[in-house]
Amino acid sequence: MRFTARWARRLRGDEGSAAIEAAIILPALIIFLCLAIAGGRIVTSGSKIDAAAQDAAREASIHRTAAAAQTAAQAAAAESLAGQGTTCTSTSVHINTGGLNVPAGQVGTVTATVTCTVKLSDLLLPGLPGTRTLTSTATSVVDLYRQRGE
């Protein structure tokens, strides 16, 4: 009788259950933490692309001709991305310079769209395959009374 009572008590005991619970919950918590970090890094990279687009739009808005604005905007976007440590496998900068042709005294705007393709291994984990394309658009107002291009 004593033997079966001891055996029954052992079966009902909760010794070792904490280790089993930890073995089940810990991987899920680690995966959740990794996903949170990955999301944060993608959002941070997106804000760097936003800053590059703002810099490009502002730089384009202070030039008088569309050609000069395009060249300056591309240089400003590249400088902004490099200054923030963002490495793009491909970058494109598109500028809408229609606001430079508006007569002086009227409001004109210049819009810059920056697209950057970033390797996921740079964003998340080294060796991770694939890329992510991030795009941002920013608009800058052309000075109302500034002389415009030909």
Side-chain angles (χ1 to χ4, degrees):
M1 188 86 155
R2 223 166 208 209
F3 178 71
T4 55
R6 195 177 328 144
W7 185 255
R9 208 174 3 168
R10 253 187 161 184
L11 289 176
R12 284 183 297 212
D14 61 355
E15 294 176 17
S17 65
I20 293 172
E21 290 171 3
I24 293 171
I25 294 174
L26 194 59
L29 289 176
I30 290 172
I31 290 172
F32 178 74
L33 179 65
C34 289
L35 288 174
I37 291 170
R41 297 221 29 190
I42 289 172
V43 168
T44 301
S45 293
S47 68
K48 291 177 182 180
I49 306 302
D50 290 344
Q54 291 170 353
D55 291 345
R58 179 64 190 140
E59 189 65 31
S61 72
I62 61 175
H63 286 79
R64 292 195 171 123
T65 64
Q70 180 71 33
T71 303
Q74 287 180 341
E79 184 179 332
S80 178
L81 290 170
Q84 296 179 60
T86 303
T87 305
C88 301
T89 57
S90 68
T91 306
S92 68
V93 180
H94 297 286
I95 306 296
N96 179 354
T97 56
L100 295 177
N101 298 326
V102 174
Q106 294 181 9
V107 176
T109 60
V110 174
T111 303
T113 301
V114 176
T115 303
C116 173
T117 302
V118 184
K119 290 182 184 177
L120 289 179
S121 61
D122 291 347
L123 285 179
L124 307 176
L125 296 172
L128 191 65
T131 59
R132 173 123 176 138
T133 301
L134 304 169
T135 302
S136 182
T137 301
T139 301
S140 182
V141 176
V142 178
D143 185 18
L144 194 62
Y145 297 107
R146 190 196 65 181
Q147 180 182 359
R148 308 295 163 92
E150 294 87 40

